[in-house]
Amino acid sequence: MNIGTCSTIALSGLKAHLVTVQAFVSQGLPYFTMVGLPDSTVSQARERVRSACKSTYFHWPQTRVTVNLTPASLPKHGSSFDVSIAVSIFAATHSINPNLLNDAVFLGELSLDGSILPVVGMLPLMQFATQCQISRAYVPASQLAEAQLVPGIKVIPVSHINELLRVLNAPPSLINEHFSVHYPASSTTPIEQFAAPMQEPSSSNADFNDVIGQTDAKWQLEIAAAGGHHVMLVGPPGVGKSMLAQRVPSILPPLNDTQATEVACIRSAQGLPIAIPLSHTPPFASVQHNATLSALAGGANGNRIVAGAMTLAHRGVLFLDEAPEFKHTVLQSLRIPLETGSITLSRMKANVVLPAQFMLILAQNPCPCGNLWNSTKICECQPIELRRYNNRISQPIKDRIDIKINVPSLKTLDKPHCHNDSYSPFLGDHMTFDSKHMRDTVLQARKQACRRFQSCPWSTNAQAPGTWLMENTPERLISHTNHLLESEEISIRGAHKILRISWTIADIFGRTQPTDDDLECATRLYLPDI
């Protein structure tokens, strides 16, 4: 029977599925049909495959050709099926060695001249192939470096359909040795492009030392980074709120290999460039106030799931500048991810769960005009305008923010660098607020927290559940938070956040348990106005 079979991989969001591609060449009038729930991009592969095959000496069957993508109930989208469709047709016409198709996957898009082009999501596709114990993967030569990031699978790069026929032991009569691969004039060939590792733009030049003054804000951001706490920056325009937020990744611990791969998979699945070798710097995603719900939380582009900024900031920092100017529905989409570390996109045919474990930083002015805290300018906002402005960020969102930081205007700018006189057992007599010293403090605090949580499924104080806090926090500190609860100054969530912050402060100063001073400091960080 003239049936050819090979395998490929479909990607939906970050979840991959193994797809079997079958081609059946049967008697009948010339016709090429495709079944198995393909979208318009997959359906258009018929013309790409037919045209690409003309760059070889392969004679297209002048009969009925049917291609089936299994499982048929799984929506197929994207152009990564092109190469596997062509291979299945070659196998159905007995033009290649079918034994070479076993235990292998074929990935790539075909251009009209037969060139094999890169596809979206190569890294997560290769990871899934290793989980399925696939031994060989035929990938576009331009993505060889990305595919080789995943160990345990043999990667075979191919740049043209004629080259693919050669490695699949096709008869010489089918191979056109005179083909040429055409690349855009503005770029090098894919193999030359990846001859040297591609480096991600470094953020190492962003240093807290660049921010003049704001010692209190730097100290509070150091606490936030040490415990993984969410932050709100409040201050007039031009005082450095955005600069402070942009430099938080410079003091966060570097990602481990697993986390770096996870972040790279997210970028790869969205068609974004990744660093080779993998970057271990936590990501930073900044969102403008005119962002839509799909831009922040994610959505669908046709049948393709597109991750939002919350997922792109996974394992890193999500920064929302001018937070009160965001639409109410956009801000409310933060509520569940802040609690669960993931976001669920519900679609008509499936639910897709995307990771969204990030450190949130919000920034806002003290009033609509921004002059409320200005000593030289007069605020012209009416009380009702000020109340409406402050209420644009709902109380449930504010309740989930651990640390509220007031960033005042600088009255004197004569000192390029500012220090305070707090003693730190890690840094010596004084705590220096440049990124290097702040990162050292954060790393030491994180190590102490990891030792405390070594038998727990979490590693930072911000993730510690309420049951653990109640069992391990000194009783007198719990009594103080109970007093705040009874006076209705905080909610139960707020009480837990105050206890978590106090544990982080204790870690920074090398204490095994938080003290009364740590709790008082934590309370003022959570409720800066009391």
Side-chain angles (χ1 to χ4, degrees), residues 168-346:
L168 293 178
N169 292 343
S173 60
L174 293 182
I175 302 173
N176 183 358
E177 298 290 352
H178 303 289
F179 74 88
S180 59
V181 183
H182 301 285
Y183 298 103
S186 60
S187 64
T188 60
T189 64
I191 294 179
E192 291 173 348
Q193 177 184 352
F194 285 98
M198 180 184 67
Q199 296 293 338
E200 187 180 69
S202 175
S203 59
S204 58
N205 294 330
D207 195 293
F208 271 99
N209 217 24
D210 303 332
V211 183
I212 298 175
Q214 303 299 359
T215 307
D216 289 343
K218 293 177 183 179
W219 161 241
Q220 292 167 59
L221 286 174
E222 187 176 296
I223 296 174
H229 304 290
H230 306 304
V231 175
M232 176 182 287
L233 299 169
V234 183
V239 297
K241 300 188 297 293
S242 297
M243 288 185 67
L244 289 168
Q246 292 166 0
R247 281 150 180 77
V248 170
S250 68
I251 64 174
L252 290 175
L255 305 176
N256 58 37
D257 292 340
T258 302
Q259 294 170 340
T261 302
E262 186 180 11
V263 170
C265 283
I266 293 173
R267 293 183 59 84
S268 177
Q270 304 309 307
L272 300 174
I274 64 173
I276 300 176
L278 293 180
S279 171
H280 289 71
T281 302
F284 178 84
S286 179
V287 184
Q288 299 277 344
H289 66 271
N290 58 354
T292 62
L293 179 61
S294 296
L296 183 63
N301 183 5
N303 289 327
R304 178 173 172 243
I305 299 298
V306 179
M310 285 192 281
T311 299
L312 293 176
H314 181 60
R315 304 289 185 187
V317 177
L318 176 63
F319 176 50
L320 273 61
D321 200 4
E322 302 294 343
E325 303 298 334
F326 280 77
K327 292 182 179 179
H328 177 75
T329 54
V330 175
L331 284 179
Q332 290 300 101
S333 67
L334 292 166
R335 292 175 61 173
I336 294 179
L338 288 178
E339 295 290 333
T340 63
S342 63
I343 183 168
T344 301
L345 301 179
S346 298

Side-chain angles (χ1 to χ4, degrees), residues 336-402:
I336 294 179
L338 288 178
E339 295 290 333
T340 63
S342 63
I343 183 168
T344 301
L345 301 179
S346 298
R347 294 297 174 261
M348 183 172 60
K349 295 182 180 179
N351 290 336
V352 178
V353 179
L354 299 176
Q357 184 177 329
F358 51 83
M359 176 180 170
L360 176 65
I361 301 181
L362 303 178
Q364 72 167 78
N365 295 330
C367 68
C369 72
N371 296 327
L372 182 61
W373 295 354
N374 198 307
S375 58
T376 59
K377 298 180 180 179
I378 299 176
C379 176
E380 298 179 354
C381 301
Q382 298 297 321
I384 189 172
E385 294 177 327
L386 182 60
R387 184 164 60 252
R388 286 174 179 172
Y389 182 78
N390 289 328
N391 289 337
R392 287 180 184 174
I393 302 178
S394 64
Q395 189 58 38
I397 296 295
K398 292 180 180 179
D399 207 31
R400 287 166 168 80
I401 303 300
D402 304 62

Side-chain angles (χ1 to χ4, degrees), residues 79-92:
S79 57
S80 61
F81 300 90
D82 291 6
V83 170
S84 60
I85 293 171
V87 169
S88 66
I89 294 173
F90 290 145

